[in-house]
Amino acid sequence: EYQSAFKGKGMAFSEVRSYSYGDDIRQIDWNVTARTGEPFIKIFEEEREQTLMLCVDISNSGNLGNRTYNKSEFTIEICAVLAFSAIQNDDKVGLILFSDVVEKVVPPKKGKKHVLRIIRELYTTKATGNGTSISIAFNYVNRILNRKSIIVLASDFQDSEYEISLKITNQKHDLVNLSIRHPFEEQLPNLGILPLYNAETAEHVVVNSSNK
């Protein structure tokens, strides 16, 4: 499914050659034509190689879960599948880990060893920031990636005021948003009075989980 979803898109300039009868006049390179005095046209090749950049939210809210399902481990599993699919398609894979700051950057490369490094960084890198800032991650991505790439954002979106940066990134790249959730975020288990702790804001609250 990865190969069909992210086929090579667009055309990349290759070279120029002399104009021949029947060529599309819209492809004439007017700069070369003016210098030589004879018409030349641009030759384009379809782009095949892609760059997949995984932007992964490693803020503390990703630690929610239990023995059977943990948000951060589920995120790592998804990213590993995408990364191995990318190198199987001969694409480059990169990684940006972020909280409310950019925590770690692994530049895009090919190869199985590189993917294993990405997975290792996903497991071992811990957040130094306290919150989540999708805007900071996207601003960084847009600075370092000049060519159109596939951007996969894996986050629980515990953030606000990131819509503008999301739209800008979506215009420049092929953006895929993965919303990582846990069932506890939708419905608490019925365990009576529960003390809850917000891992990002350090706020403590007490709720009655048996109250709908």
Side-chain angles (χ1 to χ4, degrees):
E1 289 182 353
Y2 172 92
Q3 294 184 13
S4 61
F6 303 117
K7 291 186 294 185
K9 299 178 181 178
M11 305 293 285
F13 173 74
S14 175
E15 59 181 340
V16 295
R17 65 166 172 79
S18 298
Y19 177 85
S20 299
Y21 179 76
D23 288 335
D24 187 348
I25 61 172
R26 293 173 296 182
Q27 302 300 335
I28 291 178
D29 187 324
W30 294 106
N31 291 327
V32 177
T33 298
R35 288 200 305 269
T36 62
E38 296 180 3
F40 278 78
I41 65 167
K42 298 178 180 178
I43 303 298
F44 294 88
E45 293 180 350
E46 185 178 0
E47 291 181 324
R48 287 295 179 187
E49 182 182 280
Q50 297 273 9
T51 296
L52 171 67
M53 182 61 78
L54 301 170
C55 293
V56 183
D57 176 4
I58 60 168
S59 61
N60 291 329
S61 61
N63 295 326
L64 178 66
N66 49 27
R67 292 180 179 177
T68 57
Y69 179 82
N70 180 283
K71 285 167 65 177
S72 62
E73 291 181 358
F74 185 61
T75 301
I76 293 171
E77 185 178 342
I78 293 173
C79 291
V81 169
L82 288 170
F84 278 116
S85 299
I87 63 166
Q88 190 173 3
N89 199 45
D90 202 32
D91 290 341
K92 296 179 181 179
V93 189
L95 176 69
I96 293 178
L97 301 175
F98 70 95
S99 56
D100 55 4
V101 296
V102 175
E103 302 281 1
K104 176 79 73 172
V105 178
V106 179
K109 289 183 180 179
K110 298 180 181 181
K112 184 177 180 180
K113 287 185 178 180
H114 181 68
V115 170
L116 294 176
R117 181 198 169 187
I118 285 176
I119 296 172
R120 184 173 68 248
E121 296 291 356
L122 283 163
Y123 267 112
T124 59
T125 305
K126 304 302 181 183
T128 60
N130 295 320
T132 304
S133 179
I134 294 172
S135 295
I136 285 178
F138 278 161
N139 291 341
Y140 188 86
V141 166
N142 292 329
R143 283 203 311 272
I144 66 171
L145 293 180
N146 297 321
R147 293 180 56 188
K148 184 172 183 178
S149 305
I150 305 163
I151 310 295
V152 174
L153 171 65
S155 173
D156 57 9
F157 291 88
Q158 298 296 319
D159 191 15
S160 60
E161 299 181 358
Y162 58 83
E163 290 79 7
I164 293 177
S165 61
L166 188 145
K167 289 180 180 178
I168 293 172
T169 305
N170 191 46
Q171 289 173 352
K172 291 184 175 182
H173 304 285
D174 192 350
L175 177 62
V176 180
N177 295 318
L178 301 179
S179 181
I180 310 298
R181 299 291 184 189
H182 191 281
F184 287 170
E185 293 176 288
E186 306 298 328
Q187 184 174 359
L188 286 172
N190 187 353
L191 297 174
I193 302 298
L194 285 179
L196 299 180
Y197 171 69
N198 188 322
E200 296 194 3
T201 65
E203 179 185 5
H204 291 266
V205 294
V206 176
V207 299
N208 183 1
S209 63
S210 61
N211 188 323
K212 291 185 180 180

